[in-house]
Amino acid sequence: MTTAGRTVREMTRSLMRDLGLTTVFGNPGTTEVPFLTDWPDDFRYVLGLQESVVVAIADGYSQATRQPVLVNLHSAGGVGHALGAVFSAYRNRTPMIITAGQQTRTLMFSEPFLGATDAAEFPKPYVKWSYEPARAEDVPAALVRAHQIATTPPCGPVFVSIPADDWDQPGTEVEARPRVPGFAPDPGAVAELAEALRNCRRPAFVVGPAVDADGVVEEMVQLVERTKAAVWVAPMSPRCSFPEDHPQFAGFLQPEQRLLTEELADYDLVVVWGAPAFTYHVYRGEATRRLPEMFLVHDDPQVLARARAGKSVLGSLAHSVRQVAELVEPIDRPLPRGYERPEKPAPATPLPAAYVLSTIAEAMPENTPVVEEIPSHRNDLHEHFPIRSTDGGFFTGFSGALGYGIGASVGVALANPHRRTVALLGDGSSMYGIQAIWTAVQEQAPVTFVVLDNSRYAAVAVLGEAAGGNKLPGVELGGIDFVQLASSLGCPAKLVTTPEELDDALRAEFNGRTGPALLHVKVDPGQRFLY
């Protein structure tokens, strides 16, 4: 019922409290003023200086807390700026509620300045639900529905466009509803998977981001040890779902069909846990070998439908991992061979990226949250920077759209105020969201931005040359002074060019540093073949 005296604004703020959405990430404009006026003292507004940065910060915060997050954008222009980051949030399966101000209803027929034409269509298809309420009084109900859809597995962003004159109108009372819990898989499918694990001789697990997102990495470790399975990381996985220093850790699958098939073809059972079956980045022909018997465990029926082979188990990973483990006793079979890491490279000038990553890994405290966006150095990261976390310690973007890392690291740091977050960033990728440093300073987020500067879009150059391209334009970047950039935004910064400077800088970062800081690390521009 519509309640006199209770406006849409008042009802919405009460619902935000009930739903735990009192931290709002945004970049406001005039159409958001009615939402923001008389901002409550118990609410927090985290300001970003560009909308894609706002969404990336909120994405990192949501991923680190495993909680939904509310983002406040400005009309069509602000949503347009943010769409690349919304695409990343969709691929990351982030439970994000995006609101955007719309021009007043009284002006919309005339297509006014700052009006969003077909606002609900604009962010599609990279939102789970998109809506502009037909009546002002329905805004509170739209928020509740948005929260339900965003947080129901498979999670993802949703969008609500709200006309500016709705906030002062009487609203219709609606109650906040709790999140829909994850769902359990079919018992018969679980029993069939458990039977296959008991009867195979050489199993392999492929772990994806949903294992960590559902908080069952420790349970996965126990299941791995019972089954003596080798554990591979799914291609391009944005989270660490198995500690990479475990003796049964086998390595990282490459996002190319033939290479991936070669890695898995000698097993007699492959179980894919919480990942799109396989994510490829390049095509170099069909595989010459066949994959073995395969089970795919996921909470998204679309992911299971896209798979070209294997038996499907539909269910949340928190339920699926635990239920399979209940049916599998320790199995007596030989342990698989573990991943063999190369030795740490020798110090040199210019600094090899592998040496820098190895040195940071040695220096940072245990359980340090890590955010990564260094596509040019991902092989070096895999070999020299083992992620040991069993609970939300590693984050990167699953979409491949640059700019996620620098913003997300601020969000992760805000979610972990008592631990220092390390952001491993390329010089190219950091420039897609450099404004995030300003927010880190304003919020005094405990984050160390490490910019590995090879002065080029090296991933583009190397993959382009591997595909037969040559004399490629648009890949050279040199001359960006990240120390001055960071300093201009109020962030302490230091240039690092030698091993000794790197050691000194890392000691300072992990010895009582508060607030943000940036290390501009010049690395050898020589580049390894990626895959």
Side-chain angles (χ1 to χ4, degrees):
M1 57 177 290
T2 303
T3 306
R6 284 266 289 176
T7 64
V8 165
R9 182 189 302 106
E10 292 167 332
M11 290 181 184
T12 299
R13 288 179 177 172
S14 294
L15 288 169
M16 289 168 65
R17 289 188 181 94
D18 292 342
L19 295 171
L21 299 173
T22 56
T23 295
V24 176
F25 299 82
N27 182 272
T30 53
T31 54
E32 287 69 55
V33 168
F35 167 59
L36 300 174
T37 190
D38 295 323
W39 192 246
D41 291 338
D42 60 324
F43 281 31
R44 181 185 190 185
Y45 195 91
V46 179
L47 175 64
L49 300 187
Q50 204 267 2
E51 289 88 349
S52 66
V53 172
V54 168
V55 173
I57 294 172
D59 195 344
Y61 186 86
S62 177
Q63 291 285 328
T65 59
R66 296 191 179 96
Q67 296 297 322
V69 66
L70 194 143
V71 173
N72 177 230
L73 302 179
H74 175 48
S75 193
V79 175
H81 289 160
L83 281 180
V86 173
F87 170 61
S88 292
Y90 182 80
R91 294 296 190 206
N92 290 343
R93 295 162 40 104
T94 303
M96 179 182 293
I97 300 160
I98 302 166
T99 65
Q102 171 67 290
Q103 254 291 9
T104 59
R105 292 180 186 271
T106 52
L107 293 177
M108 283 308 299
F109 183 74
S110 303
E111 296 194 15
F113 185 67
L114 290 180
T117 304
D118 293 329
E121 293 297 314
F122 196 18
K124 294 179 180 178
Y126 297 113
V127 288
K128 290 182 65 181
W129 183 63
S130 191
Y131 187 63
E132 184 174 278
R135 306 179 304 172
E137 64 198 74
D138 294 331
V139 170
L143 176 67
V144 172
R145 184 172 176 183
H147 177 269
Q148 285 288 107
I149 294 172
T151 59
T152 299
C155 298
V158 297
F159 176 79
V160 182
S161 170
I162 306 173
D165 50 349
D166 284 5
W167 295 103
D168 290 312
Q169 300 303 311
T172 297
E173 293 285 359
V174 60
E175 292 185 0
R177 298 169 61 197
R179 296 176 65 168
V180 176
F183 52 92
D186 176 73
V190 172
E192 186 178 5
L193 172 52
E195 183 69 13
L197 284 169
R198 286 191 291 267
N199 293 334
C200 66
R201 294 176 294 103
R202 192 167 182 244
F205 286 0
V206 178
V207 293
V211 176
D212 183 53
D214 274 17
V216 287
V217 177
E218 290 188 0
E219 289 89 339
M220 176 60 69
V221 171
Q222 294 169 11
L223 182 59
V224 165
E225 292 173 350
R226 288 183 190 180
T227 59
K228 307 295 194 299
V231 181
W232 294 84
V233 174
M236 319 300 286
S237 181
R239 298 182 77 137
C240 175
S241 288
F242 192 80
E244 295 169 10
D245 59 348
H246 191 282
Q248 287 171 244
F249 178 72
F252 305 87
L253 294 176
Q254 297 289 354
E256 194 275 322
Q257 186 177 19
R258 290 188 299 175
L259 291 174
L260 181 147
T261 303
E262 285 295 322
E263 295 283 14
L264 297 178
D266 289 332
Y267 297 98
D268 63 345
L269 176 68
V270 172
V271 185
V272 182
W273 299 94
F278 301 111
T279 301
Y280 302 125
H281 187 204
V282 294
Y283 177 77
R284 299 199 178 101
E286 295 296 318
T288 57
R289 303 180 68 185
R290 293 177 61 86
L291 288 167
E293 179 184 10
M294 188 161 57
F295 282 79
L296 311 170
V297 186
H298 210 281
D299 63 7
D300 188 346
Q302 293 295 328
V303 167
L304 297 176
R306 286 195 296 269
R308 297 185 180 184
K311 299 176 181 179
S312 296
V313 180
L314 178 63
S316 300
L317 271 292
H319 289 289
S320 301
V321 173
R322 290 167 180 151
Q323 290 184 11
V324 172
E326 288 175 359
L327 299 180
V328 178
E329 297 296 328
I331 299 172
D332 184 15
R333 59 167 66 105
L335 283 170
R337 186 177 66 182
Y339 184 63
E340 296 180 6
R341 297 187 183 278
E343 295 292 326
K344 180 178 179 178
T349 304
L351 290 163
Y355 174 84
V356 173
L357 292 170
S358 181
T359 303
I360 296 172
E362 293 168 352
M364 70 183 193
E366 189 175 356
N367 295 323
T368 296
V370 176
V371 181
E372 177 267 328
E373 193 170 53
I374 47 172
S376 301
H377 306 295
R378 192 153 288 145
N379 283 343
D380 291 328
L381 179 84
H382 290 165
E383 293 177 354
H384 298 283
F385 200 99
I387 306 297
R388 302 177 173 90
S389 170
T390 58
D391 186 19
F394 177 74
F395 307 91
T396 188
F398 192 50
S399 72
L402 294 182
Y404 168 82
I406 192 166
S409 65
V410 178
V412 171
L414 293 176
N416 292 278
H418 304 300
R419 295 191 291 169
R420 191 156 197 85
T421 295
V422 169
L424 304 174
L425 308 168
D427 52 329
S429 58
S430 65
M431 288 302 296
Y432 281 77
I434 199 72
Q435 303 95 326
I437 294 175
W438 182 89
T439 302
V441 171
Q442 300 307 307
E443 299 289 336
Q444 281 299 286
V447 54
T448 297
F449 305 103
V450 182
V451 179
L452 302 185
D453 181 6
N454 59 11
S455 299
R456 62 201 306 242
Y457 290 130
V460 176
V462 171
L463 288 173
E465 291 164 4
N470 60 79
K471 199 179 176 182
L472 298 173
V475 297
E476 301 301 328
L477 296 181
I480 301 173
D481 190 331
F482 287 94
V483 171
Q484 289 197 35
L485 266 177
S487 298
S488 72
L489 296 169
C491 179
K494 182 176 183 178
L495 177 65
V496 174
T497 60
T498 68
E500 294 76 19
E501 290 174 346
L502 179 63
D503 290 339
D504 291 344
L506 293 176
R507 274 194 293 272
E509 292 306 303
F510 301 127
N511 189 26
R513 166 84 74 182
T514 59
L518 182 142
L519 302 180
H520 180 184
V521 184
K522 294 276 192 176
V523 297
D524 189 336
Q527 183 58 44
R528 298 173 57 189
F529 182 69
L530 296 178
Y531 38 78

